[in-house]
Amino acid sequence: MKSNLLLLAIASLFCTTLSAQTELTKYRPGVTPEGTVYFLPKTGIKVKVLVEKSTTTPGDFCNYAERYLRQSGVPQEVVTNYQVIDIQQIPFAMIDSTKAFAIKFSPKTVAPNVALSDDGRLLAINATPHAQAEEPAPFTPAPKPRKVNPRQYMTQEMISAGSTAKMAELVAAEIYDLRENRSLLIKGQADFMPKESAQMQLMLSQLDNTEKALARLFVGTTERDTTEYEFCVEPAATPEKQVLFRLSQKLGIVDADDLSGTPYYISVENLNTVLVPDGETITPKKKKEAPESGVYVNVPGKMRSTIYKGINPIKAVDMPAPQFGNVELLSGQLFDKRYTTHLWLNALTGSVERLEAEQPKK
């Protein structure tokens, strides 16, 4: 993830305009004829959404569920439903194309070791970059339970019944017998009481499994599948709600402009945590025409990202936001031959994590 470039010398740091650079889509970080180019980061938001799909298949005796089991509202046809069960918001670093700077060569400075990320963000000078935080592991669905055929629990009398109604009646009677036997076991009134607790638990488990399997012939079977979706958002300077995705109960995730789904919005608010003495928010300094000696770093602000379901907020997360902060210059004197300077930057924010300046012993 990191590439170390050994430069011959470092003299001055100057800010380059976008018009003077190679197109960013074609640019690859590395040594240039004048030195090396690096970027400071801004924060993007990765939104991970877990959507559960439940499919209910009606049982063979669904028409008799209310008559024999007093179960109302049992589906008579296949029913599919989608719902959001979890949303995570994870900040990640992306290059800020408005904060591109160049380090030029000069024999008047010590030879630095500059570490860049794969996309050209400055990570460290004269030091090994700190390990970057790992992203949460991708979602892995749990193994599906083994399917059980309810008919394997039916007796010969049930199977040989002359009609579906009679078969349903016999199955319902068996369900009530199972419930009664379970109650007798718990009360200690069964004809054959187990002597050990393990045997007791085994018998209760077998009764429960048989009852649930036969009940599926009336209420149906529900299968669930969970899928993870990922959306990337680049926060804008002007906060406003934008549609993140839409969810249809029948179709799942649909296009943002598909009105068949309920909209989920995201809104990013600048918390204005980086202030000047008079209370006004600091804005990044304008680039100067004359080259300045030193290293530019971020002083990040903070932002609050809120997810809405319709008009109702459901989750808000505060996170660092370099794009809502300031850019400062570390003096170039730290990098002349009088010092051996070690600099570590935060990989997410581009701020100074650690700075060591050692004066050589004479």
Side-chain angles (χ1 to χ4, degrees), residues 181 183-196 199-200 203:
N181 290 335
S183 177
L184 291 174
L185 270 176
I186 293 174
K187 294 176 181 178
Q189 299 174 355
D191 294 336
F192 301 98
M193 290 297 300
K195 296 181 180 181
E196 299 179 359
Q199 291 179 329
M200 178 74 164
M203 293 179 67

Side-chain angles (χ1 to χ4, degrees), residues 225-252:
D225 294 290
T226 304
T227 304
E228 182 180 71
Y229 295 87
E230 188 175 286
F231 304 90
C232 291
V233 178
E234 182 179 340
T238 304
E240 62 178 47
K241 282 186 182 180
Q242 58 176 303
V243 178
L244 186 63
F245 64 91
R246 290 180 182 267
L247 181 75
S248 167
Q249 289 189 343
K250 304 299 181 184
L251 302 175

Side-chain angles (χ1 to χ4, degrees), residues 6-10 105-107 109-112:
L6 185 62
L7 306 185
L8 298 177
I10 189 168
F105 299 158
S106 173
T109 59
V110 295

Side-chain angles (χ1 to χ4, degrees), residues 89-321:
Q89 300 182 75
I90 305 168
F92 71 95
M94 55 193 304
I95 63 169
D96 189 337
S97 60
T98 66
K99 298 177 183 177
F101 306 98
I103 298 175
K104 296 184 66 177
F105 299 158
S106 173
K108 297 181 180 180
T109 59
V110 295
N113 188 321
V114 177
L116 303 178
S117 66
D118 288 345
D119 58 357
R121 289 174 288 115
L122 181 63
L123 299 177
I125 295 179
N126 293 329
T128 301
H130 292 157
Q132 300 184 36
E134 295 184 1
E135 287 192 13
F139 171 75
T140 303
K144 290 186 178 181
R146 181 176 62 89
K147 290 185 178 181
V148 177
N149 182 6
R151 289 185 174 271
Q152 71 184 33
Y153 293 95
M154 295 174 66
T155 65
Q156 180 64 34
E157 182 183 6
M158 299 174 190
I159 295 174
S160 60
S163 66
T164 302
K166 181 63 177 177
M167 190 182 296
E169 182 181 355
L170 292 174
V171 172
E174 180 69 12
I175 290 174
Y176 286 119
D177 285 343
L178 290 168
R179 291 175 180 175
E180 183 179 359
N181 290 335
R182 185 178 186 280
S183 177
L184 291 174
L185 270 176
I186 293 174
K187 294 176 181 178
Q189 299 174 355
D191 294 336
F192 301 98
M193 290 297 300
K195 296 181 180 181
E196 299 179 359
S197 60
Q199 291 179 329
M200 178 74 164
Q201 291 299 325
L202 179 60
M203 293 179 67
L204 289 173
S205 177
Q206 290 175 340
L207 290 172
D208 287 343
N209 291 338
T210 304
E211 179 191 341
K212 290 177 181 178
L214 293 176
R216 291 192 188 102
L217 291 168
F218 292 91
V219 299
T221 303
T222 299
E223 294 184 358
R224 290 179 170 83
D225 294 290
T226 304
T227 304
E228 182 180 71
Y229 295 87
E230 188 175 286
F231 304 90
C232 291
V233 178
E234 182 179 340
T238 304
E240 62 178 47
K241 282 186 182 180
Q242 58 176 303
V243 178
L244 186 63
F245 64 91
R246 290 180 182 267
L247 181 75
S248 167
Q249 289 189 343
K250 304 299 181 184
L251 302 175
I253 296 287
V254 296
D255 293 337
D257 57 356
D258 188 338
L259 300 183
S260 67
T262 300
Y264 283 74
Y265 299 95
I266 185 169
S267 176
V268 178
E269 175 190 1
N270 180 4
L271 297 180
N272 295 317
T273 55
V274 180
L275 303 175
V276 291
D278 60 3
E280 296 181 0
T281 304
I282 294 178
T283 56
K285 294 182 177 179
K286 294 182 179 179
K287 301 172 183 179
K288 298 185 178 181
E289 295 181 0
E292 290 191 72
S293 175
V295 175
Y296 282 99
V297 296
N298 277 330
V299 179
K302 286 187 177 181
M303 63 184 177
R304 177 169 297 147
S305 175
T306 306
I307 305 292
Y308 294 81
K309 180 182 180 181
I311 61 173
N312 302 313
I314 57 176
K315 181 169 286 189
V317 177
D318 292 354
M319 57 187 72

